[in-house]
Amino acid sequence: MDMLWSGWGDPAGAKPLPDTVIGQLRDMLGVRPREAAPVALGEVAVPEPRLEPAARRALAAALVGADGGGGADVGEDHVRTDPEARIRHTRGKSTPDLLRIRDGDVTDIPEAVLYPASHDEVLAVLRACTEHGLAVVPFGGGTSVVGGLAPGRPRPFVALDLRRMDGLLALDRVSRTATLQSGLRAPQAEALLAGHGFTLGHFPQSYEWATIGGFAATRSSGQASAGHGRFDEMVLALTLATPEGTLETGRAPRSAAGPDLRQLVLGSEGAFGVITSVTVRIRPVPRARVYEGWRFDSFEQGSAALRRLAQDGPRPTVLRLSDETETLIGLAQPEAIGSGTARPAGCTAVAGYEGTEEDTAYRRRGAAAVLRACGGTPLGEEPGRNWARGRFSAPYLRDSLLDAGALAETLETAAFWSGVPALYTAVRDALTGTLTESGTPPLVMCHISHIYENGASLYFTVVSAQGDGDPVAHWTRAKHAANEAILAAGGTITHHHAVGTDHRDWYVREIGPLGTDALRAVKQRLDPAGILSPGVLLPTD
Amino acid sequence: MDMLWSGWGDPAGAKPLPDTVIGQLRDMLGVRPREAAPVALGEVAVPEPRLEPAARRALAAALVGADGGGGADVGEDHVRTDPEARIRHTRGKSTPDLLRIRDGDVTDIPEAVLYPASHDEVLAVLRACTEHGLAVVPFGGGTSVVGGLAPGRPRPFVALDLRRMDGLLALDRVSRTATLQSGLRAPQAEALLAGHGFTLGHFPQSYEWATIGGFAATRSSGQASAGHGRFDEMVLALTLATPEGTLETGRAPRSAAGPDLRQLVLGSEGAFGVITSVTVRIRPVPRARVYEGWRFDSFEQGSAALRRLAQDGPRPTVLRLSDETETLIGLAQPEAIGSGTARPAGCTAVAGYEGTEEDTAYRRRGAAAVLRACGGTPLGEEPGRNWARGRFSAPYLRDSLLDAGALAETLETAAFWSGVPALYTAVRDALTGTLTESGTPPLVMCHISHIYENGASLYFTVVSAQGDGDPVAHWTRAKHAANEAILAAGGTITHHHAVGTDHRDWYVREIGPLGTDALRAVKQRLDPAGILSPGVLLPTD
């Protein structure tokens, strides 16, 4: 199934909001229905592809398979230039992306979509694109929310859709490693691993659509990161196809042999090459899973409790805490919005435990004692079950909110624990201040989504009216203010959404001119013609 | 106290071997006393420093402090060109380094030794060296065993001794982080942290002499890595002084903001810049510590037990396993060699637990059940205490062995678990085969020194006679054979000793031409004149 071209996920997934919620949005936030309906897929005006016949032939020739069997005709099947394929590979799934595509704006459309089947075909495509002056944007699940799929204009580019590279290449039961092709969607990967009794344990909100390669390219972090770590911590080896050849990294779990090149490829967002396979750490499918809710009087109290578990343990597999506003709105249970269910005051946390029965029970008991000592009240398993049921559904709710004429977007950051309170206040104030000044006072909600011994991430959700003018510009003002607030408060510009084009200008300030130049030197060496995702991650000049 | 110039550690530390051991070395390995006694420090023939007066003035001017107070005279105090200072900064502490320096060979001597007191002074030194064509080798504890302190000849170089940069710059109790200057020796750092109730938990064999900056530059791994992680996992932020300015990395524990630049600096071994401070994760000083011994029938059986704990837990803080030969020789308890104490047959492991009383007891109980289920027999706490007492003493034993005319050296590697048995056999065979062919059949011992979910490190110790000719060449043949065996068996050329100059040629094969070129591109950008540790880590051209 293809993702909804103009929104998230399963085209049948988003449900209209209940009238009570629409009424609340109108009364509280001034949200009014949009005047124009979104355009239909068939009505989008798509420019002719800027692809010379010679370039098209070269691309088709690159996609005929390792043995060349079948000839150019076969390769031709894997070069698509029809409007639908190109529209479906236009940008990602940020709210600005959705607002634009719903308006039929395809200014960032690729000239063609390529479907390579192997590492060698990717290498061949990169050579052909270098020769023909085409930029290349790797495309996994298409779930980027940071402009990672829209390179700088006006150079023509092709989208390299990796869906045919969906194999489990190797599984080592002794070492507990698996080598996965980068185009595998996460549920496919989990199914393949489950056939051998293993799991990757990586469940970000984009889980149902995102790919292994995308996780690696963007340093994704899943909802079970407290127990399973971030994706960059799961990666043991990578293979990268670059215009200059193949880079293979990772001969041992850890090494003192120089800088860790894996960590140079992770987070490179297609700017250094195309990740074609990833060797990851796998773990036995947990025998026990339990998620439960906890209540705290305040976000401050709950944060202190999470910090204690992160630092002294025992550590849950899942641990997250909503602030007062998010708890009240119950965004974690979107299906319950407006249902009138009584909610506890204060802040709600979810703690989850996965593993063997014994270990799960030990950690749950120990963590419960800590959470109680920190002022927490157990809410039982129902809030945990509700969270687990709705854990991938927030993007559908966003579609419903956009349909109802609201603006809804998320952003995230991270800092060391001592900086978290100031970062929280600074970002919330920036969003509230900017959107209020723009005439659309917002609801700003936040949760701690990932914890570490030394810090935590903050994940903000903003809902407001779209304002009178261009809703993208309306949001962009608030987003830029949040970015400035993050940098000023000492946070990182992104904890798990990556840089893309949207965060790039703040990213280069975060890492400084020398850090930026070091990465540009790497890019220049691996991609001398600058064809790889130009303007993504790093400025083009 | 300065380290013994011609050996390890405290000059009073190495004890002559008992006559029984000398007899065993003679009878078993053909070790004979060396004919020539080592030269005395005052007798080493040191060439005049190749340092133009203008260069010397520029270096002194770089070391007058941030405010320039005191003038060039003050800076002059921190530029030493006397023979003793230069000899003490000649090479590191590998066995070839010791054999050479004991022979009075100072071909790798620095022209001067500089003692900067601040990051800004380091920047000023790098500018002065660039201007005057001097190479620069950062010098921490001087404990390199991979030729990391001897850059390529014949360019003159200065040693940058960081001992004056020994401050605790910041401590954040909430985030549990500390910022340490890079010249701090590990025991100094632990003492400063202990004053606040914290520990770093990093205890490599070089602990008593090595520095924070050296740990970062070489991706050190400590004996408690099972519980505390490697040094590269403890690092949250670094400051690097380069000829092109300052690079600061690390705004949050984890981030999705591009490639992890921390992991580009870690392991860079002075080739990209001088690490001037490091922010590390700290933990409360453990209330409980217990180390105990376990016996296994074979290395294979013991390895399987370690793997189970590494993968399924509960995980000890310290976990190591000697092979049959090392168990027999009892290298882990050098003071007991030749004492005639009865030893258990098979293989001995040490498991240690550090933390709160409750957590330590839980993990110890759980791990004991696993170890028993895997065929282990508990040996009680005495072997653990013996290990803890002797944990930093092996380098002293090496000095004693060299004094007795033996060759003694170590090397290490790592691989994924499924590759560990073949790697073990390949390296042992290469060492045994080469040294036997050379006429000095060796003792080759090994232990698993560090464990991970997905693999482990192997640490080899070799003892043999020195052969008839040049003992350095004698050992080098065996070392090169081991390097080849490591690469062929899929291991990494170094798990925690780093690359230096000794591993460089195998390292570039391990990471491939494109990986090498990517790193050279970074070096070229940060150090365009190539003054930083030329030939260390990366080839000079």
Side-chain angles (χ1 to χ4, degrees):
Chain A
M1 180 171 55
D2 277 329
M3 176 121 84
L4 176 64
W5 71 282
S6 59
W8 184 261
D10 180 349
K15 304 276 184 296
L17 295 176
D19 286 344
T20 50
V21 175
I22 290 179
Q24 286 167 348
L25 289 169
R26 183 188 59 229
D27 298 344
M28 288 170 55
L29 301 175
V31 171
R32 286 159 304 179
R34 297 206 70 195
E35 281 161 27
V39 297
L41 178 57
E43 290 164 6
V44 177
V46 174
E48 283 298 305
R50 294 176 293 171
L51 195 63
E52 300 294 330
R56 189 181 174 116
R57 281 194 302 274
L59 293 174
L63 295 169
V64 295
D67 57 359
D73 287 353
V74 172
E76 189 66 36
D77 293 345
H78 306 304
V79 180
R80 284 184 62 178
T81 52
D82 56 286
E84 179 172 342
R86 292 169 63 208
I87 293 169
R88 286 185 178 281
H89 292 81
T90 300
R91 310 191 193 93
K93 299 295 179 183
S94 71
T95 294
D97 289 345
L98 299 189
L99 290 169
R100 286 194 176 110
I101 204 79
R102 283 162 171 243
D103 271 354
D105 172 353
V106 289
T107 45
D108 296 305
I109 201 165
E111 309 304 325
V113 185
L114 313 181
Y115 301 86
S118 69
H119 175 82
D120 287 345
E121 288 190 9
V122 173
L123 287 174
V125 164
L126 297 180
R127 282 191 298 269
C129 288
T130 299
E131 194 175 329
H132 292 275
L134 288 164
V136 181
V137 176
F139 192 101
T143 63
S144 172
V145 291
V146 294
L149 302 172
R153 307 243 87 211
R155 188 180 203 178
F157 77 98
V158 295
L160 196 64
D161 188 317
L162 299 162
R163 69 178 64 190
R164 292 173 68 210
M165 296 176 62
D166 61 354
L168 168 62
L169 298 182
L171 188 139
D172 178 344
R173 302 187 72 87
V174 173
S175 307
R176 291 197 182 166
T177 65
T179 303
L180 304 166
Q181 282 189 305
S182 58
L184 264 176
R185 285 196 186 158
Q188 290 178 291
E190 284 292 344
L192 288 169
L193 296 174
H196 300 268
F198 289 102
T199 180
L200 182 52
H202 186 68
F203 302 105
Q205 197 174 70
S206 61
Y207 169 76
E208 293 170 329
W209 299 90
T211 60
I212 296 298
F215 292 151
T218 61
R219 295 185 171 269
S220 172
S221 191
Q223 292 165 352
S225 70
H228 291 297
R230 298 165 58 84
F231 197 78
D232 52 29
E233 294 165 331
M234 300 176 183
V235 171
L236 299 161
L238 302 108
T239 303
L240 186 76
T242 83
E244 294 290 291
T246 298
L247 178 64
E248 287 185 290
T249 73
R251 285 169 73 89
R254 292 288 181 274
S255 170
D260 191 342
L261 290 171
R262 298 177 293 206
Q263 299 291 334
L264 193 62
V265 174
L266 290 161
S268 62
E269 300 188 30
F272 293 169
V274 181
I275 296 166
T276 56
S277 69
V278 183
T279 301
V280 288
R281 173 245 289 155
I282 55 175
R283 289 176 170 172
V285 172
R287 291 202 290 272
R289 283 180 212 265
V290 58
Y291 310 106
E292 59 188 13
W294 286 82
R295 183 201 165 279
F296 293 91
D297 287 340
S298 66
F299 194 51
E300 186 184 356
Q301 186 190 54
S303 300
L306 265 61
R307 178 165 68 85
R308 269 208 52 196
L309 285 183
Q311 293 182 336
D312 295 324
R315 186 180 274 232
T317 311
V318 171
L319 190 58
R320 42 204 293 123
L321 171 76
S322 295
D323 72 356
E324 289 85 350
T325 310
E326 187 170 291
T327 299
L328 198 67
I329 300 296
L331 191 72
Q333 307 159 48
E335 74 285 2
I337 285 189
S339 70
T341 310
R343 283 169 210 295
C347 293
T348 304
V350 171
Y353 306 88
E354 302 176 1
T356 63
E357 283 86 356
E358 190 198 345
D359 180 56
T360 301
Y362 173 78
R363 286 189 289 132
R364 187 183 185 189
R365 197 168 52 240
V370 173
L371 293 172
R372 275 182 205 275
C374 292
T377 308
L379 300 177
E381 293 184 30
E382 199 196 332
R385 277 194 296 267
N386 288 343
W387 169 78
R389 194 168 49 239
R391 63 194 291 189
F392 306 130
S393 61
Y396 289 109
L397 176 61
R398 179 181 56 168
D399 279 354
S400 304
L401 286 163
L402 295 180
D403 288 342
L407 191 69
E409 183 57 306
T410 64
L411 58 87
E412 37 80 67
T413 178
F416 295 108
W417 281 113
S418 60
V420 167
L423 180 62
Y424 172 73
T425 302
V427 175
R428 210 172 48 155
D429 288 355
L431 290 167
T432 304
T434 311
L435 285 166
T436 302
E437 271 174 33
S438 300
T440 61
L443 260 176
V444 179
M445 298 159 271
C446 182
H447 62 264
I448 291 180
S449 55
H450 303 266
I451 55 152
Y452 305 96
E453 275 184 70
N454 307 107
S457 69
L458 293 173
Y459 189 97
F460 293 88
T461 302
V462 189
V463 181
S464 75
Q466 292 188 2
D468 291 328
D470 172 11
V472 172
H474 190 80
W475 166 247
T476 300
R477 278 191 296 277
K479 170 74 174 171
H480 287 188
N483 291 349
E484 292 294 334
I486 287 169
L487 276 207
T492 178
I493 195 65
T494 172
H495 168 267
H496 61 274
H497 281 172
V499 174
T501 49
D502 293 354
H503 290 146
R504 186 190 59 219
D505 296 349
W506 289 267
Y507 171 61
V508 299
R509 288 161 59 190
E510 177 170 330
I511 66 170
L514 208 51
T516 305
D517 280 358
L519 294 179
R520 292 169 84 156
V522 173
K523 180 171 172 68
Q524 168 67 25
R525 179 63 190 80
L526 301 181
D527 175 27
I531 62 166
L532 287 165
S533 294
V536 171
L537 186 69
L538 297 168
T540 44
D541 262 287
Chain B
M1 181 170 57
D2 277 327
M3 176 120 85
L4 176 63
W5 72 281
S6 59
W8 183 261
D10 181 348
K15 305 277 184 298
L17 295 176
D19 286 345
T20 50
V21 174
I22 289 178
Q24 286 168 349
L25 288 170
R26 183 189 58 228
D27 298 344
M28 288 172 56
L29 301 175
V31 172
R32 286 160 303 177
R34 297 208 67 195
E35 282 161 26
V39 297
L41 178 57
E43 290 165 6
V44 177
V46 175
E48 283 299 305
R50 294 176 292 172
L51 196 63
E52 301 294 330
R56 187 179 176 117
R57 281 194 302 274
L59 293 174
L63 295 168
V64 295
D67 57 359
D73 286 353
V74 172
E76 189 66 37
D77 292 346
H78 306 303
V79 180
R80 283 184 63 178
T81 53
D82 56 288
E84 179 173 342
R86 292 169 63 209
I87 292 169
R88 287 185 178 280
H89 292 81
T90 301
R91 307 191 194 95
K93 298 295 179 183
S94 71
T95 294
D97 290 346
L98 300 188
L99 291 168
R100 285 193 178 111
I101 204 80
R102 283 162 170 243
D103 271 355
D105 172 352
V106 289
T107 45
D108 296 305
I109 202 165
E111 309 305 324
V113 185
L114 314 181
Y115 300 87
S118 69
H119 176 82
D120 287 345
E121 287 191 10
V122 173
L123 286 174
V125 164
L126 297 180
R127 282 192 297 267
C129 288
T130 299
E131 194 174 329
H132 292 275
L134 289 164
V136 180
V137 176
F139 192 100
T143 63
S144 172
V145 290
V146 294
L149 302 172
R153 306 244 86 208
R155 188 181 203 179
F157 76 98
V158 295
L160 197 63
D161 187 318
L162 299 162
R163 69 178 63 190
R164 291 174 69 211
M165 295 176 64
D166 61 354
L168 168 63
L169 298 182
L171 188 138
D172 178 344
R173 301 187 72 86
V174 173
S175 307
R176 291 197 182 165
T177 66
T179 303
L180 303 165
Q181 282 189 305
S182 58
L184 264 175
R185 285 198 186 156
Q188 289 179 292
E190 284 292 343
L192 287 170
L193 295 174
H196 299 269
F198 290 102
T199 180
L200 182 52
H202 187 68
F203 301 105
Q205 197 174 69
S206 61
Y207 168 77
E208 293 171 327
W209 299 90
T211 59
I212 295 298
F215 293 150
T218 62
R219 293 186 172 270
S220 172
S221 191
Q223 292 164 352
S225 71
H228 291 297
R230 298 165 59 83
F231 196 78
D232 52 30
E233 295 165 331
M234 299 175 182
V235 171
L236 298 161
L238 302 109
T239 303
L240 185 76
T242 84
E244 294 290 290
T246 299
L247 178 65
E248 288 185 290
T249 73
R251 285 169 72 90
R254 293 288 181 274
S255 170
D260 191 342
L261 289 172
R262 296 176 294 204
Q263 299 291 334
L264 193 62
V265 175
L266 290 161
S268 62
E269 300 189 32
F272 293 168
V274 181
I275 296 165
T276 56
S277 69
V278 183
T279 300
V280 289
R281 173 246 287 156
I282 54 175
R283 289 175 171 173
V285 173
R287 291 200 291 271
R289 283 179 211 266
V290 59
Y291 309 106
E292 60 189 13
W294 285 82
R295 183 202 165 276
F296 292 91
D297 288 340
S298 66
F299 195 50
E300 187 185 354
Q301 186 192 53
S303 300
L306 265 61
R307 179 165 66 86
R308 271 208 52 195
L309 285 183
Q311 293 182 335
D312 295 324
R315 188 180 272 233
T317 311
V318 171
L319 191 58
R320 42 204 294 123
L321 171 77
S322 294
D323 72 355
E324 289 84 350
T325 309
E326 188 171 290
T327 299
L328 199 65
I329 300 298
L331 192 73
Q333 308 161 46
E335 75 284 2
I337 285 189
S339 70
T341 310
R343 282 169 211 296
C347 293
T348 304
V350 171
Y353 306 87
E354 302 176 2
T356 63
E357 283 85 354
E358 190 199 345
D359 180 57
T360 300
Y362 173 78
R363 287 188 290 132
R364 187 183 184 190
R365 196 167 54 241
V370 172
L371 293 172
R372 275 181 205 275
C374 292
T377 307
L379 300 177
E381 293 185 30
E382 199 195 331
R385 277 193 297 267
N386 288 342
W387 169 79
R389 195 167 50 239
R391 63 194 291 187
F392 306 130
S393 61
Y396 289 109
L397 176 61
R398 179 181 56 167
D399 279 355
S400 305
L401 287 163
L402 295 179
D403 289 343
L407 191 68
E409 182 59 304
T410 64
L411 58 87
E412 36 80 68
T413 177
F416 295 108
W417 281 113
S418 60
V420 167
L423 180 62
Y424 172 73
T425 303
V427 175
R428 210 172 49 156
D429 287 355
L431 290 167
T432 305
T434 310
L435 286 166
T436 302
E437 269 173 34
S438 300
T440 61
L443 260 178
V444 179
M445 299 158 269
C446 181
H447 62 264
I448 292 180
S449 56
H450 303 266
I451 54 150
Y452 305 97
E453 275 185 70
N454 307 106
S457 69
L458 293 174
Y459 188 97
F460 294 88
T461 302
V462 189
V463 180
S464 76
Q466 292 187 2
D468 291 328
D470 172 13
V472 172
H474 191 80
W475 166 246
T476 301
R477 278 190 296 276
K479 170 73 176 173
H480 287 188
N483 292 349
E484 292 295 334
I486 286 169
L487 276 207
T492 178
I493 195 64
T494 172
H495 168 266
H496 61 274
H497 281 171
V499 175
T501 50
D502 294 352
H503 290 146
R504 186 190 59 219
D505 295 348
W506 290 265
Y507 170 61
V508 300
R509 287 162 58 190
E510 177 171 330
I511 66 170
L514 209 51
T516 305
D517 281 357
L519 294 179
R520 291 169 85 159
V522 172
K523 180 171 172 67
Q524 169 67 26
R525 179 62 191 82
L526 301 181
D527 175 27
I531 62 166
L532 288 164
S533 294
V536 172
L537 186 68
L538 296 167
T540 45
D541 52 80

